[in-house]
């Protein structure tokens, strides 16, 4: 979530709406691409470019990352 708040220039104390679409939050395709790159760098994993468009909210993207991209980490516990 921090990557999205940074891209949206949101202060730390402001709550990020998890169910609003990225575009409703004011994100552009360019901002989403930048967030994708930062997430990949942080997670050390690739993220499909279509994932951000197929999972168009923070909540849905987080679920996707946990169940698909990082599934081996969560399954190990």
């Amino acid at each position: 979530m921090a990557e999205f708040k940074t891209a949206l220039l949101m202060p730390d104390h402001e709550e990020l709406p998890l169910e609003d679409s990225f575009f409703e939050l004011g994100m552009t395709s360019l901002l989403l691409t930048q967030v994708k790159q930062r997430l990949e760098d942080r997670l050390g994993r690739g993220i499909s470019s279509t994932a951000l468009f197929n999972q168009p909210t923070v909540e849905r993207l987080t679920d996707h990352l946990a169940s698909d991209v990082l599934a081996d980490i969560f399954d190990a516990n």
Side-chain angles (χ1 to χ4, degrees), residues 18-58:
L18 301 180
E19 296 179 1
D20 289 355
S21 78
F22 299 134
F23 297 106
E24 288 175 327
L25 294 172
M27 297 197 80
T28 63
S29 297
L30 179 59
L31 277 177
L32 280 174
T33 302
Q34 292 170 351
V35 168
K36 175 187 169 293
Q37 182 61 52
R38 287 196 299 263
L39 285 171
E40 289 176 332
D41 292 346
R42 274 188 171 217
L43 299 173
R45 309 277 174 114
I47 300 170
S48 166
S49 295
T50 59
L52 295 170
F53 297 97
N54 292 337
Q55 316 302 331
T57 68
V58 173

